[in-house]
């Protein structure tokens, strides 16, 4: 087993400054790639302009350039360092676009630099909306009816042929920038102009609207021998029309039949084959009509993404590390699974728990900004929670936002909703905002039917029914303080603060009563294989069951607390501090225990601390 030895040095491009849609998940992917490539004997040259990142610490690369990520600067670095290869699939849209420009201007060819991970042709097929659609149709995969335009006249003609409403998607963009839905021609003229201006190649795709459809994502890894695995399946709780980065998401997929999932799985792998991604990970997004089951390919990213970071942490499968090894010639069956030590990377992960991601917004910093969520991303960070069931994971994730909510309602931050009229509450349920899920909970407390809420919100009935169970258990807590009811509430994800709020007593009293009854948190391992093999890496999540899987420590130990979801004023720089603290403590002989809820970070990587 060996990677390519005709390559000796590799240039890795980072993603630059933190922006909405491109944050510390690319520090995670770049750091992981640099570590594994150096360990395999390659010389790593890194360029990134962000000083808050872990990857720009001198020990992570052989040569580190903190410089602007522009064609001019990167060209000078290439001329000076003479790398054999360029790896751009781990640095977000910034790295992908710069790599495409370097190839297009002949810089790579002039210096004999090979693009690895994804070819220019594959990047163009995935990022050029019109070319992507044609490529999908050539292999028999369905996309929304659409046409691509490079001028306003072309755009208007296509929109009239399709019929309103229509969706506008610019080519080569990040975080849904420049996208929008138009219900009329007047709206369309504004959205199309903005889309053409946003696209770096002045191209937009005008397509039929799938607003309100169900949205799914599959994280796929494929190698040069056509081995392929679905690392993680993700379902968006919010319907199409809300950018996936702004949606509450759930892994694994909850509401598809096995047959539907297997068909989607086959199509996702077919997408990678058609685009030509041979050595790495990609994110493939689908829309499904809840009324008919019609399934469409929406888009794919030929690189790691924020969803890739979430999938890595949800499964314990290190996507960025494996993508880097695939890029230098390894195959999935040659790479060992770090979590089990007994299975290869071609062993598809299986989950015996549920993961929920909730995005974090900072609209309060911009009081004049609209809080309505749409196709352009607004979230500045996210938190991930793991539980045995969807209700438990959802409630844990919602209180990880650190914005006053203790879970799905049953707290002071949600109590004001009870004073709203039914008409006002219905409007809150029908419009996607960060607070909509709490309005849904209030509607369920008023005994609104799941069918009525599905019609208003387009949220799948299964999720609404699960939320109704949470509300029902909360209602029963008001008059029932028995240990059995308390245990049930903890398994539904209720915090002691929520229970105290519902029972009008101090959370400390609830905690003391719970501990006296033997209702204590236990910890389970994330093992990538649903307990089929023993996990070597102590990556844990808390739940309320009978058996804990934590082993006894035999060294002095230190707990390092992370900073939670990114927000304005608290971001990647604190993850940098946490990682440096963990590394220093480990070197000093302490056992380190990392506690954090942010799946984008290096600190939540499987091999940074002794326990996660």
């Amino acid at each position: 087993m060996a990677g390519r030895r005709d390559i000796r040095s590799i240039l890795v491009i980072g993603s630059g400054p933190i922006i909405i849609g491109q944050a510390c998940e690319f520090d995670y992917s770049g750091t992981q790639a640099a570590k594994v490539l150096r360990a395999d004997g390659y010389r790593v040259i890194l360029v990134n302009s962000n000083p808050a990142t872990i990857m720009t610490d001198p020990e992570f690369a052989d040569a580190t350039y903190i410089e602007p990520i522009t064609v001019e600067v990167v060209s000078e670095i290439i001329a000076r360092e003479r790398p054999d290869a360029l790896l751009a699939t781990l640095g977000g849209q910034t790295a992908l676009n710069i790599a495409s420009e370097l190839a297009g201007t002949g810089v790579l060819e002039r210096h004999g630099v090979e693009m690895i991970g994804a070819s220019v042709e594959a990047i163009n097929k995935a990022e050029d909306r019109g070319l992507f659609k044609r490529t999908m149709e050539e292999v028999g995969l369905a996309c929304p009816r659409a046409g691509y335009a490079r001028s306003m006249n072309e755009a208007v003609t296509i929109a009239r042929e399709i019929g309103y409403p229509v969706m506008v998607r610019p080519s080569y963009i990040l975080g849904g920038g420049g996208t929008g839905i138009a219900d009329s021609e007047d709206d369309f003229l504004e959205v199309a102009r903005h889309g053409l201006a946003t696209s770096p190649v002045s191209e937009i795709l005008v397509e039929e609207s799938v607003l309100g459809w169900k949205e799914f994502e599959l994280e796929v890894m494929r190698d040069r021998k056509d081995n392929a695995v679905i690392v993680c399946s993700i379902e968006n709780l919010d319907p199409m029309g809300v950018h996936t980065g702004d949606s509450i998401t759930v892994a694994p997929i909850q509401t598809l039949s096995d047959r539907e999932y297997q068909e989607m799985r086959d199509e996702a792998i077919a997408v990678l084959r058609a685009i030509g991604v041979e050595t790495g990970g990609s994110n493939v997004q689908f829309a499904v009509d809840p009324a008919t089951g019609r399934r469409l390919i929406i888009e794919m990213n030929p690189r790691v993404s924020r969803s890739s970071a979430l999938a890595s942490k949800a499964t314990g499968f290190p996507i960025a590390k494996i993508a880097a090894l695939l890029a230098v010639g390894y195959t999935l069956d040659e790479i060992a699974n770090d979590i089990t030590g007994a299975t290869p990377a071609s062993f598809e992960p299986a989950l015996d728990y549920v993961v929920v991601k909730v995005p974090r917004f900072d609209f309060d910093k911009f009081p004049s900004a609209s809080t309505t969520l749409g196709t352009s991303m607004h979230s500045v960070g996210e938190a991930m929670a793991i539980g045995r069931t969807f209700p438990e994971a959802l409630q844990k994730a919602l209180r990880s936002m650190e914005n006053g909510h203790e879970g799905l309602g049953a707290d002071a931050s949600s109590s004001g909703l009870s004073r709203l009229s039914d008409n006002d509450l219905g409007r809150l349920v029908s419009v996607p905002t960060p607070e909509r899920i709490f309005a849904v909970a209030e509607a369920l407390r008023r005994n609104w039917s799941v069918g009525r809420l599905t019609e208003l919100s387009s949220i799948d009935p299964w999720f609404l029914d699960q939320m109704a169970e949470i509300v029902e258990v909360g209602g029963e807590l008001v008059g029932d303080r028995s240990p059995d009811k308390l245990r049930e509430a903890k398994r539904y994800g209720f915090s002691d603060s929520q229970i105290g709020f519902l029972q009008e007593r101090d959370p400390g009293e609830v905690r003391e009563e719970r501990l006296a009854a033997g209702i204590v948190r236990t910890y389970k391992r994330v093992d990538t294989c649903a307990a089929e093999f023993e996990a070597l890496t102590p990556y844990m999540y808390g739940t309320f069951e009978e058996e804990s899987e934590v082993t006894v420590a035999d060294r002095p130990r230190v707990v390092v607390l992370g900073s939670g979801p990114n927000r304005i004023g608290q971001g990647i720089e604190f993850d940098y501090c946490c990682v440096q603290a963990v590394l220093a403590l480990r070197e000093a002989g302490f056992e380190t225990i990392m506690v954090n809820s942010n799946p984008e970070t290096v600190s939540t990587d499987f091999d940074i601390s002794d326990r996660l």
Side-chain angles (χ1 to χ4, degrees), residues 82-132:
R82 296 301 176 110
D84 297 307
L86 168 63
L87 183 57
T89 54
L90 302 171
Q93 198 68 38
T94 295
L96 217 57
N97 288 352
I98 289 294
S100 295
E101 287 186 62
L102 290 167
T105 55
V107 172
L108 300 185
E109 184 179 5
R110 188 160 59 249
H111 292 284
V113 180
E114 178 186 350
M115 277 186 65
I116 58 175
S119 65
V120 175
E121 182 184 11
I123 293 170
N124 289 338
K125 280 185 178 180
E127 297 291 327
D128 183 309
R129 299 290 186 179
L131 190 54
F132 177 76

Short mmCIF file of all heavy atoms in Angstrom, two decimals, residues 82-132:
data_model
loop_
_atom_site.label_atom_id
_atom_site.label_comp_id
_atom_site.label_asym_id
_atom_site.label_seq_id
_atom_site.Cartn_x
_atom_site.Cartn_y
_atom_site.Cartn_z
N ARG A 82 7.81 25.47 -6.53
CA ARG A 82 7.76 24.42 -7.54
C ARG A 82 7.11 23.12 -7.03
O ARG A 82 7.70 22.04 -7.08
CB ARG A 82 9.16 24.10 -8.05
CG ARG A 82 9.84 25.26 -8.79
CD ARG A 82 9.00 25.68 -9.99
NE ARG A 82 9.55 26.83 -10.68
CZ ARG A 82 10.10 26.78 -11.89
NH1 ARG A 82 10.18 25.63 -12.54
NH2 ARG A 82 10.55 27.88 -12.46
N PRO A 83 5.86 23.19 -6.56
CA PRO A 83 5.19 21.96 -6.11
C PRO A 83 4.88 21.04 -7.30
O PRO A 83 4.73 21.50 -8.43
CB PRO A 83 3.90 22.47 -5.48
CG PRO A 83 3.63 23.76 -6.19
CD PRO A 83 4.98 24.36 -6.44
N ASP A 84 4.78 19.75 -7.01
CA ASP A 84 4.42 18.80 -8.05
C ASP A 84 2.91 18.76 -8.26
O ASP A 84 2.45 18.41 -9.35
CB ASP A 84 4.91 17.39 -7.67
CG ASP A 84 6.41 17.33 -7.56
OD1 ASP A 84 7.09 17.73 -8.52
OD2 ASP A 84 6.91 16.89 -6.51
N ALA A 85 2.16 19.08 -7.21
CA ALA A 85 0.70 18.95 -7.30
C ALA A 85 0.02 20.06 -6.52
O ALA A 85 0.61 20.65 -5.60
CB ALA A 85 0.26 17.59 -6.78
N LEU A 86 -1.22 20.32 -6.89
CA LEU A 86 -2.07 21.32 -6.23
C LEU A 86 -3.33 20.62 -5.73
O LEU A 86 -4.04 19.97 -6.51
CB LEU A 86 -2.44 22.44 -7.20
CG LEU A 86 -3.54 23.42 -6.76
CD1 LEU A 86 -3.13 24.19 -5.52
CD2 LEU A 86 -3.88 24.38 -7.89
N LEU A 87 -3.61 20.74 -4.44
CA LEU A 87 -4.81 20.17 -3.84
C LEU A 87 -5.72 21.32 -3.42
O LEU A 87 -5.41 22.05 -2.48
CB LEU A 87 -4.44 19.29 -2.64
CG LEU A 87 -5.58 18.55 -1.94
CD1 LEU A 87 -6.35 17.65 -2.90
CD2 LEU A 87 -5.04 17.74 -0.76
N ALA A 88 -6.83 21.49 -4.15
CA ALA A 88 -7.70 22.65 -3.92
C ALA A 88 -9.08 22.27 -3.40
O ALA A 88 -9.90 23.16 -3.14
CB ALA A 88 -7.86 23.42 -5.23
N THR A 89 -9.33 20.97 -3.22
CA THR A 89 -10.69 20.55 -2.85
C THR A 89 -10.95 20.63 -1.35
O THR A 89 -12.03 20.27 -0.90
CB THR A 89 -10.92 19.11 -3.32
OG1 THR A 89 -9.87 18.26 -2.80
CG2 THR A 89 -10.94 19.02 -4.83
N LEU A 90 -9.97 21.12 -0.58
CA LEU A 90 -10.13 21.20 0.87
C LEU A 90 -10.18 22.64 1.37
O LEU A 90 -10.23 22.87 2.58
CB LEU A 90 -8.98 20.45 1.56
CG LEU A 90 -8.85 18.98 1.17
CD1 LEU A 90 -7.56 18.39 1.72
CD2 LEU A 90 -10.04 18.18 1.66
N GLY A 91 -10.17 23.61 0.46
CA GLY A 91 -10.15 25.01 0.83
C GLY A 91 -11.39 25.78 0.42
O GLY A 91 -11.32 26.99 0.21
N GLY A 92 -12.51 25.09 0.31
CA GLY A 92 -13.76 25.76 0.01
C GLY A 92 -13.83 26.30 -1.40
O GLY A 92 -13.04 25.97 -2.28
N GLN A 93 -14.82 27.20 -1.61
CA GLN A 93 -15.02 27.78 -2.94
C GLN A 93 -13.85 28.67 -3.33
O GLN A 93 -13.49 28.77 -4.51
CB GLN A 93 -16.33 28.57 -2.98
CG GLN A 93 -16.85 28.84 -4.37
CD GLN A 93 -17.32 27.57 -5.07
OE1 GLN A 93 -17.90 26.69 -4.46
NE2 GLN A 93 -17.06 27.47 -6.36
N THR A 94 -13.23 29.32 -2.36
CA THR A 94 -12.07 30.18 -2.65
C THR A 94 -10.97 29.39 -3.34
O THR A 94 -10.47 29.78 -4.40
CB THR A 94 -11.52 30.79 -1.35
OG1 THR A 94 -12.51 31.65 -0.78
CG2 THR A 94 -10.26 31.59 -1.61
N ALA A 95 -10.58 28.27 -2.75
CA ALA A 95 -9.51 27.46 -3.31
C ALA A 95 -9.90 26.89 -4.67
O ALA A 95 -9.08 26.86 -5.60
CB ALA A 95 -9.14 26.33 -2.35
N LEU A 96 -11.15 26.45 -4.79
CA LEU A 96 -11.60 25.85 -6.04
C LEU A 96 -11.56 26.88 -7.18
O LEU A 96 -11.09 26.60 -8.29
CB LEU A 96 -13.02 25.32 -5.86
CG LEU A 96 -13.39 24.01 -6.56
CD1 LEU A 96 -12.45 22.88 -6.16
CD2 LEU A 96 -14.83 23.63 -6.24
N ASN A 97 -12.04 28.09 -6.90
CA ASN A 97 -12.05 29.13 -7.94
C ASN A 97 -10.63 29.57 -8.32
O ASN A 97 -10.34 29.78 -9.51
CB ASN A 97 -12.85 30.35 -7.45
CG ASN A 97 -14.35 30.06 -7.40
OD1 ASN A 97 -14.82 29.03 -7.87
ND2 ASN A 97 -15.11 30.98 -6.83
N ILE A 98 -9.74 29.70 -7.33
CA ILE A 98 -8.36 30.09 -7.63
C ILE A 98 -7.67 29.01 -8.46
O ILE A 98 -6.95 29.30 -9.43
CB ILE A 98 -7.57 30.33 -6.32
CG1 ILE A 98 -8.07 31.62 -5.65
CG2 ILE A 98 -6.07 30.41 -6.58
CD1 ILE A 98 -7.78 32.89 -6.42
N ALA A 99 -7.90 27.74 -8.10
CA ALA A 99 -7.30 26.64 -8.87
C ALA A 99 -7.78 26.65 -10.31
O ALA A 99 -6.98 26.43 -11.24
CB ALA A 99 -7.63 25.31 -8.20
N SER A 100 -9.06 26.92 -10.51
CA SER A 100 -9.59 26.98 -11.87
C SER A 100 -8.94 28.11 -12.67
O SER A 100 -8.60 27.94 -13.85
CB SER A 100 -11.11 27.18 -11.83
OG SER A 100 -11.76 26.06 -11.26
N GLU A 101 -8.75 29.26 -12.01
CA GLU A 101 -8.11 30.39 -12.69
C GLU A 101 -6.65 30.09 -13.01
O GLU A 101 -6.14 30.44 -14.08
CB GLU A 101 -8.20 31.65 -11.82
CG GLU A 101 -9.60 32.26 -11.75
CD GLU A 101 -9.60 33.58 -11.00
OE1 GLU A 101 -8.93 34.52 -11.48
OE2 GLU A 101 -10.24 33.66 -9.94
N LEU A 102 -5.94 29.45 -12.07
CA LEU A 102 -4.54 29.10 -12.31
C LEU A 102 -4.41 28.15 -13.49
O LEU A 102 -3.48 28.26 -14.30
CB LEU A 102 -3.94 28.46 -11.05
CG LEU A 102 -3.72 29.38 -9.86
CD1 LEU A 102 -3.42 28.56 -8.61
CD2 LEU A 102 -2.59 30.37 -10.13
N ALA A 103 -5.35 27.22 -13.60
CA ALA A 103 -5.33 26.29 -14.73
C ALA A 103 -5.68 27.02 -16.02
O ALA A 103 -5.03 26.83 -17.06
CB ALA A 103 -6.29 25.14 -14.48
N GLY A 104 -6.70 27.89 -15.93
CA GLY A 104 -7.16 28.58 -17.14
C GLY A 104 -6.15 29.56 -17.71
O GLY A 104 -6.11 29.77 -18.93
N THR A 105 -5.33 30.14 -16.85
CA THR A 105 -4.32 31.09 -17.32
C THR A 105 -2.99 30.42 -17.67
O THR A 105 -2.03 31.11 -18.03
CB THR A 105 -4.07 32.18 -16.26
OG1 THR A 105 -3.72 31.54 -15.02
CG2 THR A 105 -5.31 33.04 -16.04
N GLY A 106 -2.93 29.11 -17.53
CA GLY A 106 -1.73 28.38 -17.94
C GLY A 106 -0.63 28.30 -16.92
O GLY A 106 0.45 27.77 -17.21
N VAL A 107 -0.88 28.83 -15.70
CA VAL A 107 0.16 28.84 -14.67
C VAL A 107 0.56 27.41 -14.28
O VAL A 107 1.75 27.09 -14.17
CB VAL A 107 -0.31 29.62 -13.42
CG1 VAL A 107 0.71 29.46 -12.27
CG2 VAL A 107 -0.50 31.09 -13.76
N LEU A 108 -0.41 26.54 -14.09
CA LEU A 108 -0.12 25.17 -13.66
C LEU A 108 0.66 24.42 -14.73
O LEU A 108 1.65 23.73 -14.43
CB LEU A 108 -1.42 24.44 -13.32
CG LEU A 108 -2.28 25.03 -12.20
CD1 LEU A 108 -3.46 24.13 -11.90
CD2 LEU A 108 -1.47 25.26 -10.93
N GLU A 109 0.23 24.55 -15.96
CA GLU A 109 0.92 23.86 -17.06
C GLU A 109 2.35 24.38 -17.21
O GLU A 109 3.29 23.60 -17.43
CB GLU A 109 0.14 24.04 -18.36
CG GLU A 109 0.73 23.28 -19.53
CD GLU A 109 -0.08 23.47 -20.80
OE1 GLU A 109 -1.05 24.26 -20.79
OE2 GLU A 109 0.26 22.83 -21.81
N ARG A 110 2.53 25.69 -17.08
CA ARG A 110 3.85 26.30 -17.28
C ARG A 110 4.86 25.79 -16.24
O ARG A 110 6.04 25.62 -16.54
CB ARG A 110 3.71 27.82 -17.19
CG ARG A 110 4.98 28.58 -17.58
CD ARG A 110 4.67 30.01 -17.95
NE ARG A 110 4.03 30.77 -16.89
CZ ARG A 110 2.78 31.20 -16.91
NH1 ARG A 110 2.00 30.93 -17.96
NH2 ARG A 110 2.28 31.92 -15.91
N HIS A 111 4.36 25.52 -15.02
CA HIS A 111 5.26 25.08 -13.95
C HIS A 111 5.17 23.57 -13.70
O HIS A 111 5.77 23.07 -12.74
CB HIS A 111 4.96 25.84 -12.66
CG HIS A 111 5.29 27.30 -12.74
ND1 HIS A 111 6.58 27.77 -12.67
CD2 HIS A 111 4.49 28.39 -12.89
CE1 HIS A 111 6.57 29.10 -12.77
NE2 HIS A 111 5.32 29.50 -12.91
N GLY A 112 4.41 22.87 -14.54
CA GLY A 112 4.33 21.42 -14.39
C GLY A 112 3.63 20.96 -13.13
O GLY A 112 4.01 19.96 -12.52
N VAL A 113 2.57 21.70 -12.72
CA VAL A 113 1.83 21.37 -11.50
C VAL A 113 0.55 20.61 -11.88
O VAL A 113 -0.24 21.09 -12.69
CB VAL A 113 1.47 22.63 -10.70
CG1 VAL A 113 0.71 22.26 -9.42
CG2 VAL A 113 2.73 23.42 -10.37
N GLU A 114 0.34 19.47 -11.26
CA GLU A 114 -0.84 18.65 -11.53
C GLU A 114 -1.92 18.94 -10.49
O GLU A 114 -1.65 18.98 -9.30
CB GLU A 114 -0.47 17.17 -11.49
CG GLU A 114 -1.63 16.23 -11.70
CD GLU A 114 -1.26 14.76 -11.51
OE1 GLU A 114 -0.05 14.47 -11.39
OE2 GLU A 114 -2.17 13.92 -11.46
N MET A 115 -3.15 19.12 -10.94
CA MET A 115 -4.26 19.25 -10.00
C MET A 115 -4.70 17.87 -9.56
O MET A 115 -4.98 17.00 -10.39
CB MET A 115 -5.44 20.00 -10.64
CG MET A 115 -5.28 21.50 -10.60
SD MET A 115 -6.74 22.38 -11.19
CE MET A 115 -7.95 21.93 -9.97
N ILE A 116 -4.75 17.64 -8.25
CA ILE A 116 -5.20 16.36 -7.72
C ILE A 116 -6.45 16.58 -6.87
O ILE A 116 -6.73 17.68 -6.42
CB ILE A 116 -4.10 15.66 -6.90
CG1 ILE A 116 -3.64 16.56 -5.72
CG2 ILE A 116 -2.92 15.30 -7.78
CD1 ILE A 116 -2.63 15.89 -4.79
N GLY A 117 -7.20 15.51 -6.65
CA GLY A 117 -8.45 15.62 -5.90
C GLY A 117 -9.64 15.81 -6.82
O GLY A 117 -10.64 15.10 -6.72
N ALA A 118 -9.55 16.76 -7.72
CA ALA A 118 -10.58 16.99 -8.75
C ALA A 118 -9.91 17.72 -9.90
O ALA A 118 -9.16 18.67 -9.69
CB ALA A 118 -11.75 17.80 -8.20
N SER A 119 -10.17 17.29 -11.11
CA SER A 119 -9.59 17.93 -12.29
C SER A 119 -10.34 19.20 -12.62
O SER A 119 -11.45 19.44 -12.12
CB SER A 119 -9.67 16.97 -13.49
OG SER A 119 -11.03 16.73 -13.83
N VAL A 120 -9.75 20.03 -13.46
CA VAL A 120 -10.41 21.26 -13.91
C VAL A 120 -11.72 20.91 -14.61
O VAL A 120 -12.75 21.58 -14.43
CB VAL A 120 -9.49 22.06 -14.86
CG1 VAL A 120 -10.24 23.27 -15.42
CG2 VAL A 120 -8.25 22.52 -14.11
N GLU A 121 -11.69 19.84 -15.40
CA GLU A 121 -12.90 19.44 -16.11
C GLU A 121 -14.01 19.07 -15.13
O GLU A 121 -15.17 19.46 -15.31
CB GLU A 121 -12.59 18.24 -17.01
CG GLU A 121 -13.79 17.78 -17.83
CD GLU A 121 -13.50 16.53 -18.65
OE1 GLU A 121 -12.45 15.90 -18.45
OE2 GLU A 121 -14.35 16.17 -19.49
N ALA A 122 -13.67 18.33 -14.06
CA ALA A 122 -14.68 17.95 -13.07
C ALA A 122 -15.22 19.17 -12.34
O ALA A 122 -16.43 19.28 -12.10
CB ALA A 122 -14.08 16.96 -12.07
N ILE A 123 -14.34 20.11 -11.99
CA ILE A 123 -14.78 21.33 -11.31
C ILE A 123 -15.74 22.11 -12.21
O ILE A 123 -16.80 22.56 -11.77
CB ILE A 123 -13.57 22.20 -10.92
CG1 ILE A 123 -12.74 21.50 -9.84
CG2 ILE A 123 -14.02 23.58 -10.43
CD1 ILE A 123 -11.42 22.16 -9.56
N ASN A 124 -15.39 22.25 -13.48
CA ASN A 124 -16.25 22.99 -14.41
C ASN A 124 -17.60 22.32 -14.58
O ASN A 124 -18.64 22.98 -14.62
CB ASN A 124 -15.56 23.13 -15.76
CG ASN A 124 -14.38 24.09 -15.72
OD1 ASN A 124 -14.31 24.95 -14.84
ND2 ASN A 124 -13.46 23.96 -16.65
N LYS A 125 -17.61 21.00 -14.68
CA LYS A 125 -18.89 20.28 -14.84
C LYS A 125 -19.79 20.47 -13.63
O LYS A 125 -21.01 20.52 -13.77
CB LYS A 125 -18.62 18.79 -15.05
CG LYS A 125 -18.21 18.41 -16.46
CD LYS A 125 -18.08 16.88 -16.58
CE LYS A 125 -17.71 16.47 -17.98
NZ LYS A 125 -17.59 14.98 -18.09
N ALA A 126 -19.20 20.53 -12.45
CA ALA A 126 -20.01 20.67 -11.23
C ALA A 126 -20.41 22.11 -10.96
O ALA A 126 -21.54 22.37 -10.51
CB ALA A 126 -19.23 20.12 -10.04
N GLU A 127 -19.53 23.06 -11.25
CA GLU A 127 -19.76 24.45 -10.87
C GLU A 127 -20.50 25.26 -11.93
O GLU A 127 -21.19 26.23 -11.61
CB GLU A 127 -18.43 25.14 -10.54
CG GLU A 127 -17.69 24.53 -9.36
CD GLU A 127 -18.39 24.78 -8.05
OE1 GLU A 127 -19.01 25.85 -7.91
OE2 GLU A 127 -18.34 23.92 -7.16
N ASP A 128 -20.35 24.88 -13.19
CA ASP A 128 -21.06 25.54 -14.28
C ASP A 128 -22.47 24.95 -14.34
O ASP A 128 -22.66 23.79 -14.68
CB ASP A 128 -20.32 25.30 -15.60
CG ASP A 128 -20.96 26.03 -16.78
OD1 ASP A 128 -22.19 25.90 -16.96
OD2 ASP A 128 -20.23 26.71 -17.51
N ARG A 129 -23.45 25.76 -13.97
CA ARG A 129 -24.82 25.24 -13.80
C ARG A 129 -25.36 24.60 -15.09
O ARG A 129 -25.98 23.54 -15.06
CB ARG A 129 -25.76 26.37 -13.36
CG ARG A 129 -25.40 27.00 -12.04
CD ARG A 129 -25.64 26.08 -10.87
NE ARG A 129 -25.41 26.76 -9.60
CZ ARG A 129 -25.57 26.19 -8.42
NH1 ARG A 129 -25.94 24.93 -8.34
NH2 ARG A 129 -25.33 26.85 -7.30
N GLY A 130 -25.13 25.25 -16.21
CA GLY A 130 -25.64 24.71 -17.46
C GLY A 130 -24.95 23.42 -17.84
O GLY A 130 -25.59 22.44 -18.27
N LEU A 131 -23.63 23.38 -17.69
CA LEU A 131 -22.86 22.17 -18.02
C LEU A 131 -23.23 21.03 -17.08
O LEU A 131 -23.31 19.86 -17.49
CB LEU A 131 -21.36 22.49 -17.93
CG LEU A 131 -20.39 21.43 -18.44
CD1 LEU A 131 -20.71 21.03 -19.88
CD2 LEU A 131 -18.95 21.96 -18.34
N PHE A 132 -23.48 21.35 -15.81
CA PHE A 132 -23.90 20.33 -14.84
C PHE A 132 -25.22 19.71 -15.27
O PHE A 132 -25.37 18.48 -15.27
CB PHE A 132 -24.03 20.96 -13.44
CG PHE A 132 -24.53 20.00 -12.39
CD1 PHE A 132 -23.68 19.05 -11.86
CD2 PHE A 132 -25.84 20.06 -11.95
CE1 PHE A 132 -24.14 18.16 -10.87
CE2 PHE A 132 -26.31 19.18 -10.98
CZ PHE A 132 -25.46 18.24 -10.43
#
